[in-house]
Amino acid sequence: MTLPLEGVRVIDFSRVLAGPHCAKHLLDLGAEVIKIEPPRGDLTRLAFPQQGAVTGYYAQQNAGKRNISVDLNVPEAREPVLRLCDTADVIVENFRPGALASFGLDYEAVSTRNPSVVYVSVSGYGQEGPWRTRMAYAPTVQAEVGITANTLNQFGVEGRQRRSDSLSHADVYAGLHATIAVLAALRHREATGMGQYIDVAMAAVMTSINERTHVDLSGIDMGAEPPILGATDCSFFTGPDGKDFVVPMSLVGSLTFPFYLAAMRRPDLADDPRFATPELRLANRGELHALVQDWIDSFEDMASLDAQFDEAKIATGQLRDIAEFRETEWAQQWGVVREVPDRAGGTINIPGPPWHFSLHDNAMAPQVPALQGEHNTEVLKELGYDDEQIQRLVASGALVEPSQPTGTDTSGGSRCDG
């Protein structure tokens, strides 16, 4: 059986992360994606590390997409791109609001010719309002909406030691929410025949995914009580095997402290004057942690410890890096990492699909990270352009000549859907 989005065509104007991440998920769901790249190329082509003829960053977000490179500042480039948009089911872009309108490629212009198109724009603060023209990157958006403040407050980091998060959550989550919205709009189009425009704002996305928004807006002083379950107050311990692990249960919280007592079979600690309230447990956290660690040390192996934790409904997670995780039996069985060509005879590791479908064999079709402009001729000929017309577009500067692999691997020149 085919993947769910087989037969859907996506035109991807986006660059760097949020938009490409959306289009990559649509590709992995079975859609055909054609990426339109400007003359200077997607910035991720310059990222580190460079692996073969492409970068790992570019490959992770774009492997499997066909690629044409055009200069929209050249008027002759716009009609071929409009004709390509005429064939689109979905268009993805993440420029600043108004950027594509200056080239006659905004939703109003495209939908006049292709009324059934689903067109999604991802930006920092949306297409309307006082912040619409602001530059936006994940760290700046995360700082604006309270995510960074929560992290700093949680860990008591101040002054020059302050850091933002190591991952671009605002970009990735915005890409995921754009994907969700596109799928909903495609379902609506199936029912009504109508396309529509989708406006996704990174700032709104990050507010929606913040599980403690209700707490932070309540004005309630929680004292030493952790405001929510999970990540706000995880405990780290060392297992019988000498490896560190994480427990998503606070030692301080009134809701979670009893779970430890049940696992340790130490109900008497509930009456210990050092641990009677969240404030006392916070003040004596070192002693409480040592008691739990001593109990952990009494086990011969992690399996027997996990069994007792499991009995008390406490999960554990070994602290690993991604390379260690990839080697686990589970990751190997799922196919959590896949290899794609680096276009110079080697390979690059990127994430595999995060879902399995029962009506599909879950085999991963080849995905090749395209060189810039690699499919110029192929795509334009599909639109009805002949060799002479294509050469005129090249001569005018509208069409950017494709780059070439630096090694012997020339795979990927042909169409390769995800």
Side-chain angles (χ1 to χ4, degrees):
M1 296 289 290
T2 60
L3 285 165
L5 294 187
E6 192 83 17
V8 171
R9 170 172 279 191
V10 178
I11 306 304
D12 180 12
F13 283 97
S14 64
R15 71 273 191 264
V16 185
L17 188 49
H21 194 65
C22 168
K24 183 63 166 65
H25 275 303
L26 297 173
L27 176 94
D28 286 340
L29 287 166
E32 173 201 8
V33 179
I34 301 174
K35 183 179 179 76
I36 299 177
E37 202 162 351
R40 295 181 64 184
D42 191 316
L43 182 62
T44 60
R45 289 194 183 273
L46 303 177
F48 298 101
Q50 181 83 28
Q51 295 180 252
V54 295
T55 67
Y57 197 133
Y58 182 85
Q60 181 166 330
Q61 304 302 330
N62 297 286
K65 301 175 183 178
R66 291 199 286 170
N67 186 290
I68 67 170
S69 187
V70 300
D71 187 349
L72 291 173
N73 291 300
V74 178
E76 290 85 351
R78 298 169 196 171
E79 180 57 26
V81 173
L82 274 170
R83 285 171 64 174
L84 185 58
C85 290
D86 291 343
T87 72
D89 296 290
V90 177
I91 292 173
V92 180
E93 67 95 5
N94 66 343
F95 292 97
R96 274 203 247 187
L100 286 182
S102 65
F103 300 114
L105 291 165
D106 56 332
Y107 173 69
E108 286 72 18
V110 170
S111 63
T112 297
R113 298 167 54 129
N114 180 5
S116 65
V117 73
V118 172
Y119 192 121
V120 59
S121 295
V122 184
S123 63
Y125 305 101
Q127 303 298 304
E128 304 293 339
W131 288 4
R132 66 185 293 272
T133 61
R134 291 185 64 186
M135 291 183 67
Y137 293 88
T140 60
V141 173
Q142 289 161 205
E144 289 280 7
V145 303
I147 297 293
T148 304
N150 276 344
T151 301
L152 297 176
N153 293 337
Q154 173 65 31
F155 299 108
V157 182
E158 298 180 351
R160 293 183 179 180
Q161 298 303 311
R162 290 180 294 178
R163 296 290 185 272
S164 187
D165 201 285
S166 62
L167 299 174
S168 299
H169 297 295
D171 282 311
V172 171
Y173 281 125
L176 287 171
H177 276 269
T179 304
I180 293 168
V182 165
L183 296 177
L186 288 173
R187 174 65 186 91
H188 181 263
R189 188 183 73 171
E190 182 182 10
T192 67
M194 298 171 59
Q196 61 182 300
Y197 182 67
I198 303 166
D199 182 6
V200 177
M202 293 163 66
V205 167
M206 290 308 291
T207 304
S208 77
I209 62 91
N210 181 357
E211 71 220 74
R212 55 179 287 169
T213 295
H214 66 285
V215 176
D216 296 338
L217 294 179
S218 71
I220 298 172
D221 182 1
M222 299 293 293
E225 190 76 73
I228 60 171
L229 296 171
T232 56
D233 196 20
C234 286
S235 298
F236 289 73
F237 297 101
T238 301
D241 55 5
K243 296 178 181 178
D244 292 340
F245 66 93
V246 172
V247 174
M249 294 284 188
S250 170
L251 285 167
V252 173
S254 298
L255 181 63
T256 52
F257 175 58
F259 284 76
Y260 285 98
L261 306 189
M264 298 167 65
R265 295 168 183 153
R266 289 289 308 274
D268 58 293
L269 290 177
D271 300 319
D272 191 306
R274 296 171 296 173
F275 312 132
T277 67
E279 288 73 19
L280 289 168
R281 290 192 290 273
L282 182 62
N284 297 293
R285 185 170 182 167
E287 294 178 61
L288 181 54
H289 187 280
L291 282 170
V292 179
Q293 184 63 62
D294 287 344
W295 169 73
I296 289 170
D297 292 340
S298 70
F299 287 81
E300 293 185 359
D301 53 55
M302 195 66 195
S304 55
L305 173 63
D306 258 336
Q308 198 152 325
F309 266 136
D310 189 68
E311 181 183 300
K313 307 303 180 186
I314 296 177
T316 64
Q318 183 176 317
L319 189 63
R320 314 174 194 264
D321 61 30
I322 186 67
E324 293 171 322
F325 172 61
R326 180 185 59 179
E327 299 305 317
T328 64
E329 182 181 5
W330 182 87
Q332 295 288 322
Q333 177 272 329
W334 181 274
V336 74
V337 173
R338 66 178 300 173
E339 292 183 344
V340 298
D342 69 1
R343 307 307 301 277
T347 58
I348 297 172
N349 292 304
I350 68 171
W355 351 257
H356 290 169
F357 292 98
S358 64
L359 295 182
H360 185 261
D361 63 8
N362 296 306
M364 292 185 285
Q367 289 187 350
V368 177
L371 303 172
Q372 185 176 343
E374 183 169 350
H375 303 101
N376 285 350
T377 298
E378 177 180 299
V379 171
L380 264 63
K381 285 192 170 182
E382 290 174 6
L383 295 174
Y385 286 82
D386 60 28
D387 289 333
E388 183 178 347
Q389 291 171 310
I390 292 171
Q391 285 307 308
R392 284 203 296 267
L393 289 169
V394 172
S396 71
L399 197 62
V400 180
E401 289 276 48
S403 57
Q404 298 297 326
T406 57
T408 57
D409 180 8
T410 58
S411 62
S414 62
R415 177 172 172 175
C416 182
D417 295 341

